[in-house]
Amino acid sequence: MYWEKFSHKKIKEIVFQALKNNLDYRTEDVLGLPATYLDPEVFYQDAPFLNDAPYMQTMVANPNHIGCHTLGEAEPAFLGTQAIERELIDLCASQIFSAEPESYDGYVASGGTEANIESLWVHRNLFIRKYEARLDEIGVVYSQDTHYSIPKGVNLLGLKSIILSVDDDNRSIQFEEMKLAVTNAKTQGVKYFILIMNMSTTMFGSVDDVNQAMEVMNALEAEYCIHVDGAYGGFIYPFTRTEISLTFQNPKVNSFSLDAHKLVQSPYGTGICLLRKGLIQYALTEEAQYVKGKDYTLVGSRSGANAIAVWMILRTYGSEGWKAKILKLIERTDRLCENLDERRIRYFRNPAMNIVTIKAEDVPDQLAKQFLLVPDTHEGEPQWFKIVVMEHVSQGKIDKFLLAWDDWKQSHSL
Ligand SMILES: *Cc1c(COP(=O)(O)O)cnc(C)c1O
């Protein structure tokens, strides 16, 4: 895995050049596009700081990245910034997920939710067109710790859910039960399966064991393909572990979701959808006649500035800098876990991830509230509270939490 780190100067040059290669609503005769720059009364274009701020400059110019730009034909008005989006998709697919050159498509989606639904949509249509599957013959298999965007997509697309239970302590899929659940679905007429593998769940940071899951599916001779939900961990896990079966090198893996607006700290609206080449065609909307290149995405119009933001962040760090940043978070998480161990506070933690999920019994509610720990449920008694060690979760704040816990413990053992 390698991508080069660029200086601020170089980033500025590339983005400003890209904006020059886009259509400029100020100087060109544009009569037909129902789009333009941001309102100049409010977002005035001669604000001096814009000369040094490529992302803000792109926001003000307001390019629309409607459609998918890894396919060739696209809206000619925004070719400059579309090329940067293409480079971003390439970087994620080939460097982070080991895709061969030109073997993928993708786009910057509104978030992990959209990227997950796009992938379900693509696979649903693939099974319908390729095998003439009926809706009730298509099942989506996922663990109980899976993000709610998957059942949301299952509901929207009229598919069937096959939910796998996990071990209460180590959060791994119970594979014996998985056999039964899939067998059961087959006897009920499900013939095609979309297997969701979490490259970290949101609540626990647990990563599904793809090899064991594939063994179950293969043993049952199920027709299936895999979508990897990396919305939480896609920018973390590949930097802390090398796992070939969770990359495009695994022929069963067809797609990935990523969220740059979580750990990458980019603006909201920066999910990334990656699909193996040849699949996004199943999400083509033929009726998108007024869009040059048509539309293969779920969202429609979307801000080109979002792609610029993510690209700028990844280029500012380079792959080595990114890895160092992630390792720093992991070390801080290690230290937190040592401190929890000393206090015999029980928790789940995947050593490759920066989430620590503490048994609710071991943290008083008032502390959970004070430090905004996230409960596994807002209805009824929570079983778990999680701490996500990211940029703002400093050692000082962690120490403060631990001291508050010590105070509580002392006042309760008296
Ligand atoms: C956050 C998250 C999503 C959904 O992402 P949004 O950006 O909120 O749409 C999907 N899957 C996982 C694992 C997530 O952590």
Side-chain angles (χ1 to χ4, degrees), residues 111-113 116 147 149 200 202 229 231-232 259 261-262:
T113 297
N116 280 342
H147 189 266
S149 51
S200 162
T202 318
D229 184 356
Y232 182 81
D259 249 343
H261 57 218
K262 286 181 177 152

mmCIF file of all heavy atoms in Angstrom, residues 111-113 116 147 149 200 202 229 231-232 259 261-262, ligand 1:
data_model
loop_
_atom_site.group_PDB
_atom_site.id
_atom_site.type_symbol
_atom_site.label_atom_id
_atom_site.label_comp_id
_atom_site.label_asym_id
_atom_site.label_seq_id
_atom_site.Cartn_x
_atom_site.Cartn_y
_atom_site.Cartn_z
ATOM 1 N N GLY A 111 -22.899 8.936 2.208
ATOM 2 C CA GLY A 111 -22.435 8.343 3.456
ATOM 3 C C GLY A 111 -22.391 6.842 3.330
ATOM 4 O O GLY A 111 -22.670 6.283 2.255
ATOM 5 N N GLY A 112 -22.056 6.185 4.435
ATOM 6 C CA GLY A 112 -22.018 4.727 4.455
ATOM 7 C C GLY A 112 -23.390 4.134 4.167
ATOM 8 O O GLY A 112 -23.498 3.075 3.538
ATOM 9 N N THR A 113 -24.426 4.813 4.615
ATOM 10 C CA THR A 113 -25.774 4.311 4.368
ATOM 11 C C THR A 113 -26.025 4.180 2.875
ATOM 12 O O THR A 113 -26.436 3.122 2.386
ATOM 13 C CB THR A 113 -26.823 5.274 4.993
ATOM 14 O OG1 THR A 113 -26.634 5.285 6.401
ATOM 15 C CG2 THR A 113 -28.237 4.849 4.650
ATOM 16 N N ASN A 116 -23.895 1.440 1.274
ATOM 17 C CA ASN A 116 -24.429 0.104 1.565
ATOM 18 C C ASN A 116 -25.671 -0.184 0.716
ATOM 19 O O ASN A 116 -25.814 -1.276 0.162
ATOM 20 C CB ASN A 116 -24.795 -0.007 3.049
ATOM 21 C CG ASN A 116 -23.574 -0.270 3.930
ATOM 22 O OD1 ASN A 116 -22.526 -0.691 3.439
ATOM 23 N ND2 ASN A 116 -23.711 -0.019 5.215
ATOM 24 N N HIS A 147 -24.709 -2.592 11.125
ATOM 25 C CA HIS A 147 -25.283 -1.238 11.145
ATOM 26 C C HIS A 147 -26.715 -1.233 10.610
ATOM 27 O O HIS A 147 -27.043 -1.990 9.692
ATOM 28 C CB HIS A 147 -24.414 -0.318 10.286
ATOM 29 C CG HIS A 147 -24.781 1.125 10.406
ATOM 30 N ND1 HIS A 147 -25.656 1.739 9.533
ATOM 31 C CD2 HIS A 147 -24.409 2.061 11.310
ATOM 32 C CE1 HIS A 147 -25.785 3.007 9.897
ATOM 33 N NE2 HIS A 147 -25.052 3.236 10.959
ATOM 34 N N SER A 149 -28.201 0.591 8.641
ATOM 35 C CA SER A 149 -28.402 0.932 7.223
ATOM 36 C C SER A 149 -28.656 -0.324 6.373
ATOM 37 O O SER A 149 -29.271 -0.238 5.311
ATOM 38 C CB SER A 149 -27.208 1.704 6.677
ATOM 39 O OG SER A 149 -26.005 1.024 6.972
ATOM 40 N N SER A 200 -15.448 -3.970 10.745
ATOM 41 C CA SER A 200 -15.736 -3.363 12.018
ATOM 42 C C SER A 200 -17.184 -2.893 12.130
ATOM 43 O O SER A 200 -17.686 -2.089 11.355
ATOM 44 C CB SER A 200 -14.790 -2.221 12.327
ATOM 45 O OG SER A 200 -15.331 -1.418 13.327
ATOM 46 N N THR A 202 -20.052 -0.877 14.234
ATOM 47 C CA THR A 202 -20.038 0.477 14.784
ATOM 48 C C THR A 202 -19.963 0.457 16.312
ATOM 49 O O THR A 202 -19.344 1.305 16.926
ATOM 50 C CB THR A 202 -21.339 1.196 14.379
ATOM 51 O OG1 THR A 202 -21.607 0.871 13.021
ATOM 52 C CG2 THR A 202 -21.218 2.683 14.516
ATOM 53 N N ASP A 229 -18.815 -3.991 4.682
ATOM 54 C CA ASP A 229 -19.170 -2.683 5.227
ATOM 55 C C ASP A 229 -17.979 -2.142 6.024
ATOM 56 O O ASP A 229 -17.775 -2.497 7.181
ATOM 57 C CB ASP A 229 -20.422 -2.792 6.113
ATOM 58 C CG ASP A 229 -20.857 -1.411 6.613
ATOM 59 O OD1 ASP A 229 -20.141 -0.420 6.328
ATOM 60 O OD2 ASP A 229 -21.908 -1.327 7.278
ATOM 61 N N ALA A 231 -17.651 1.094 6.570
ATOM 62 C CA ALA A 231 -18.009 2.492 6.845
ATOM 63 C C ALA A 231 -17.328 2.978 8.118
ATOM 64 O O ALA A 231 -16.839 4.098 8.188
ATOM 65 C CB ALA A 231 -19.524 2.652 6.959
ATOM 66 N N TYR A 232 -17.262 2.104 9.105
ATOM 67 C CA TYR A 232 -16.537 2.539 10.299
ATOM 68 C C TYR A 232 -15.025 2.267 10.171
ATOM 69 O O TYR A 232 -14.204 3.156 10.370
ATOM 70 C CB TYR A 232 -17.089 1.874 11.589
ATOM 71 C CG TYR A 232 -16.317 2.426 12.742
ATOM 72 C CD1 TYR A 232 -16.645 3.663 13.283
ATOM 73 C CD2 TYR A 232 -15.163 1.790 13.185
ATOM 74 C CE1 TYR A 232 -15.854 4.245 14.254
ATOM 75 C CE2 TYR A 232 -14.366 2.372 14.159
ATOM 76 C CZ TYR A 232 -14.715 3.593 14.689
ATOM 77 O OH TYR A 232 -13.930 4.169 15.628
ATOM 78 N N ASP A 259 -16.551 5.313 5.008
ATOM 79 C CA ASP A 259 -17.045 6.630 5.413
ATOM 80 C C ASP A 259 -15.859 7.513 5.739
ATOM 81 O O ASP A 259 -15.137 7.250 6.694
ATOM 82 C CB ASP A 259 -17.911 6.515 6.672
ATOM 83 C CG ASP A 259 -19.363 6.799 6.409
ATOM 84 O OD1 ASP A 259 -19.662 7.391 5.361
ATOM 85 O OD2 ASP A 259 -20.191 6.443 7.253
ATOM 86 N N HIS A 261 -16.329 10.623 6.511
ATOM 87 C CA HIS A 261 -16.760 11.611 7.519
ATOM 88 C C HIS A 261 -16.766 11.060 8.942
ATOM 89 O O HIS A 261 -17.225 11.711 9.857
ATOM 90 C CB HIS A 261 -18.091 12.273 7.150
ATOM 91 C CG HIS A 261 -19.248 11.339 6.943
ATOM 92 N ND1 HIS A 261 -20.191 11.554 5.959
ATOM 93 C CD2 HIS A 261 -19.640 10.217 7.580
ATOM 94 C CE1 HIS A 261 -21.100 10.602 6.018
ATOM 95 N NE2 HIS A 261 -20.797 9.783 6.993
ATOM 96 N N LYS A 262 -16.213 9.871 9.133
ATOM 97 C CA LYS A 262 -15.994 9.418 10.506
ATOM 98 C C LYS A 262 -14.518 9.664 10.858
ATOM 99 O O LYS A 262 -14.155 10.777 11.158
ATOM 100 C CB LYS A 262 -16.396 7.956 10.661
ATOM 101 C CG LYS A 262 -17.916 7.825 10.658
ATOM 102 C CD LYS A 262 -18.389 6.409 10.828
ATOM 103 C CE LYS A 262 -19.910 6.382 10.885
ATOM 104 N NZ LYS A 262 -20.441 5.112 10.393
HETATM 105 C C1 LIG B 1 -21.698 4.815 10.253
HETATM 106 C C2 LIG B 1 -21.863 3.513 9.629
HETATM 107 C C3 LIG B 1 -22.724 3.343 8.529
HETATM 108 C C4 LIG B 1 -23.607 4.426 7.977
HETATM 109 O O1 LIG B 1 -22.933 5.555 7.720
HETATM 110 P P1 LIG B 1 -23.609 6.988 7.522
HETATM 111 O O2 LIG B 1 -22.407 7.716 7.096
HETATM 112 O O3 LIG B 1 -24.155 7.408 8.850
HETATM 113 O O4 LIG B 1 -24.625 6.869 6.481
HETATM 114 C C5 LIG B 1 -22.803 2.088 7.972
HETATM 115 N N1 LIG B 1 -22.105 1.054 8.463
HETATM 116 C C6 LIG B 1 -21.267 1.183 9.524
HETATM 117 C C7 LIG B 1 -20.503 -0.003 10.006
HETATM 118 C C8 LIG B 1 -21.127 2.419 10.135
HETATM 119 O O5 LIG B 1 -20.304 2.534 11.193
#
